[in-house]
Amino acid sequence: MRASSFILIALLLAAPVHADTLAVLFNGGVGAEYNYSTFNSGLRAWYSGLAAVGVPESNIYVLDGSGPGLARPYSNSNPPTLYASPYVNPAADMLIAYGIPVPGRPAYSYWSFNADAPKDYDSDGVSEVGWSATKANLAAVLALAGNRAGPDDSLILLLADHGGVTDSGEFKLGEWSGLVGQYTIPFILASEIRAMLDPLPFASRTLIVATCDAGNIAPAVLDGRTTLLTQTLPDEIGWNHLDQWHDGGYAPGWHEQRGNWIQQTADRLDWAKDADGDGRITWQEVHDYGVANDEFGPALGLGEYIEHPQYSGVGGFAAVLRTGDTDGNGSADFADYQRLEAHFGLPGRWVDGDFDRDGAVSFADYQALEGAFVPEPSGLMLLLVAGCRMVLVTHNRRKH
């Protein structure tokens, strides 16, 4: 047995060092009559996707509409129209369409009403939303995330909202105010977003901008450490389905339209869709998947309902599996050893146990797994025995 197997216990006591990802998810929404339900469902999709690829929930900061608070059920089976009646729910902060989708084209109904935006993103009975989506809160939360950042850490900033362009051509983003009336919409300028980001010590940052005119933000935010994904070209409308109310009522997650660009980019955060098996999801892959599956994208859009998502900047990785983790469960365990053993001495990919990415599963990969191993009660002895087997297999193959 190699000496490295005998020092496994010491290795297990020292946690491996990994760069962390911190994420800030923002839906300004402006007010109840403009806060489309798709903004909220987009944030929830990204929250779930980030958690699925290993971002700790404590690293995800959420600013959504009016802020914290769990949604109350809306039980009226024939809801009043938004523009014909006073708000019947004083806590409402989200707009939902009332009607049946029209076959062959997006459905936008004038019959609309307000409801509480779901703030319990993972169905644990606790609101994941920490702040209302104002400019002041965005600056404060970004600073809070920056205070936690190490020199190798990365930031993801998702902006799902209304967007526009000033008379001078600068991108502007809606913030929550609760005000009624389109001409009272308060905005955050692209230059203000850049000023919030620049002092933060992140090694890299990625902005995902799901708004109209999203491409107009590029000149203000792109630099040598930024990746940018936008729903649209400059000066282009971004399209979204509103969630639909049906006879059975509205239930978050049941009737949501998942063809939107923001939903599809989030759906790519799934190790089961890592077709090349390299244990990494690149931002290019996220962009490509979003474009291919966007119901309003170049391939699937209908008539005037077409947008052109864009990708630019330095690139890099949206998610990377931790050393030793072949199945995306967040840890290196005996199931990962079993996969490595099945491919030992053969050509392989990360999902097969090739942790040094040299194209083959070897004893060096076993040593990498050994250093990251998180044992169950009997797992430590099993891995020690496995180390002996690996040495013997390697020795015997070299003899022949």
Side-chain angles (χ1 to χ4, degrees), residues 31-34 80 82-83 85-90 92 114 178-181:
E33 65 178 317
Y34 297 115
L82 172 64
Y83 300 108
S85 304
Y87 298 149
V88 296
N89 182 351
N114 288 142
L179 299 175
V180 177

Side-chain angles (χ1 to χ4, degrees), residues 26-318:
F26 181 93
N27 162 32
V30 181
E33 65 178 317
Y34 297 115
N35 187 16
Y36 297 162
S37 54
T38 191
F39 299 154
N40 170 269
S41 57
L43 260 64
R44 287 186 283 121
W46 268 88
Y47 184 94
S48 299
L50 290 169
V53 294
V55 178
E57 294 181 0
S58 60
N59 284 13
I60 307 175
Y61 302 86
V62 183
L63 304 86
D64 187 357
S66 62
L70 297 179
R72 293 173 293 179
Y74 194 101
S75 58
N76 187 345
S77 61
N78 185 25
T81 65
L82 172 64
Y83 300 108
S85 304
Y87 298 149
V88 296
N89 182 351
D93 66 353
M94 185 175 71
L95 178 69
I96 298 177
Y98 176 52
I100 303 299
V102 177
R105 61 171 293 173
Y108 292 98
S109 172
Y110 290 104
W111 297 91
S112 305
F113 70 98
N114 288 142
D116 288 335
K119 305 296 177 62
D120 178 8
Y121 285 14
D122 56 10
S123 302
D124 64 355
V126 178
S127 173
E128 272 65 55
V129 178
W131 300 267
S132 61
T134 65
K135 176 165 61 176
N137 283 345
L138 178 60
V141 171
L142 284 170
L144 178 64
N147 288 337
R148 292 184 55 195
D152 299 320
D153 293 347
S154 60
L155 172 70
I156 297 172
L157 174 59
L158 170 66
L159 306 173
D161 203 341
H162 293 286
V165 182
T166 67
D167 291 341
S168 62
E170 183 176 7
F171 175 81
K172 57 183 183 179
L173 176 78
E175 66 168 315
W176 179 260
S177 70
L179 299 175
V180 177
Q182 187 169 1
Y183 296 104
T184 63
I185 292 177
F187 285 101
I188 309 170
L189 297 176
S191 57
E192 294 175 313
I193 296 172
R194 176 66 181 264
M196 296 176 194
L197 292 172
D198 276 352
L200 309 181
F202 290 98
S204 63
R205 59 197 188 199
T206 300
L207 276 67
I208 302 107
V209 185
T211 71
C212 290
D213 302 314
N216 292 83
I217 199 174
V221 299
L222 282 176
D223 62 9
R225 56 175 172 153
T226 300
T227 300
L228 177 64
L229 285 75
T230 63
Q231 182 177 348
T232 71
L233 288 164
D235 304 313
E236 183 178 57
I237 295 174
W239 297 100
N240 292 296
H241 276 305
L242 297 182
D243 298 330
Q244 297 290 319
W245 176 282
H246 295 272
D247 290 340
Y250 170 77
W254 291 3
H255 306 306
E256 290 165 359
Q257 304 291 332
R258 294 195 60 83
N260 303 328
W261 177 80
I262 187 173
Q263 296 277 359
Q264 292 301 319
T265 52
D267 284 352
R268 181 58 185 86
L269 299 178
D270 181 351
W271 292 117
K273 296 175 181 175
D274 186 25
D276 58 13
D278 68 351
R280 298 181 290 197
I281 299 173
T282 67
W283 286 116
Q284 181 73 61
E285 290 172 329
V286 172
H287 166 73
D288 291 345
Y289 189 90
V291 170
N293 294 281
D294 179 7
E295 188 173 357
F296 303 98
L300 302 178
L302 295 172
E304 65 184 288
Y305 303 106
I306 296 179
E307 61 196 15
H308 299 82
Q310 299 294 296
Y311 171 82
S312 55
V314 299
F317 301 109

